[in-house]
């Protein structure tokens, strides 16, 4: 799980994984008055793969190639309730954070609002955290079947 989360193998399914994980971690997800169906969310890449060095300076000796790789990992994605319209995808972390917060502040998976910088190291740490949450949420039994740690009655209506 950790290896998959830390690679770009999950980029194409990041939205699905984040949605499924959010629906199981967020205790208010099923009881919310908001539309929590899968189609109500969009995936946003926080640090752009080809980020402008002015807005996203390289830190700690990272290379552009390393950045492009880490930017494709699950830890660099967030679910939003709607697309960012007034904030360019290449905007700095400070601007994106302000634009994203109202679109996902009720979500369990994104609790990094206090960070002054969104760096490659932050993404690595979030990858580890997400991998741990995936392992906590789902296990594979001896038959190779996935078992969820939530009762079916606690799942959102859209995925029952």
């Amino acid at each position: 799980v950790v290896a998959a989360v830390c690679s770009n193998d999950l980029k194409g399914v990041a939205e699905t994984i984040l949605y499924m994980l959010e629906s199981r971690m967020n205790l208010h997800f099923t009881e919310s008055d908001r539309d929590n169906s899968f189609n109500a969310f969009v995936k946003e890449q926080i640090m752009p793969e080809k980020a402008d060095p002015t807005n996203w300076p390289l830190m700690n000796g990272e290379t552009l190639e390393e950045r492009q790789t880490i930017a494709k990992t699950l830890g660099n994605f967030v679910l939003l309730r709607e697309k960012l319209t007034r904030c360019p995808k290449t905007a700095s972390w400070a601007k994106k954070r302000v634009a994203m917060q109202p679109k996902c502040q009720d979500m369990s998976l994104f609790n990094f609002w206090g960070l002054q910088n969104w760096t490659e190291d932050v993404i690595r740490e979030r990858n580890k955290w997400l991998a741990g949450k995936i392992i906590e949420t789902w296990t594979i039994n001896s038959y190779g079947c996935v078992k969820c740690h939530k009762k079916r009655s606690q799942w959102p209506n859209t995925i029952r």
Side-chain angles (χ1 to χ4, degrees), residues 6-8 49 63-73:
C6 295
S7 73
N8 65 3
E49 291 169 38
T63 66
L64 286 174
E65 185 177 280
E66 289 169 326
R67 167 170 287 166
Q68 289 173 354
T69 300
I70 195 85
K72 296 175 191 174
T73 63

Side-chain angles (χ1 to χ4, degrees), residues 36-92:
N36 286 326
S37 63
F38 179 76
N39 293 330
F41 296 93
V42 294
K43 169 183 77 173
E44 177 68 27
Q45 188 174 33
I46 301 169
M47 178 187 288
E49 291 169 38
K50 296 182 180 179
D52 176 357
T54 306
N55 289 337
W56 297 89
L58 288 168
M59 303 183 121
N60 303 325
E62 301 281 347
T63 66
L64 286 174
E65 185 177 280
E66 289 169 326
R67 167 170 287 166
Q68 289 173 354
T69 300
I70 195 85
K72 296 175 191 174
T73 63
L74 191 62
N76 192 42
F77 289 93
V78 65
L79 285 180
L80 301 178
R81 293 196 174 275
E82 59 187 73
K83 288 184 179 184
L84 295 179
T85 54
R86 296 190 175 155
C87 182
K89 292 188 178 288
T90 57
S92 69

Side-chain angles (χ1 to χ4, degrees), residues 22-32 108 150 154:
E22 181 70 33
S23 71
R24 283 162 175 77
M25 285 180 54
N26 189 333
L27 301 176
H28 305 290
F29 201 77
T30 56
E31 299 146 8
S32 172
S108 298
K150 252 191 182 182
Q154 294 174 307

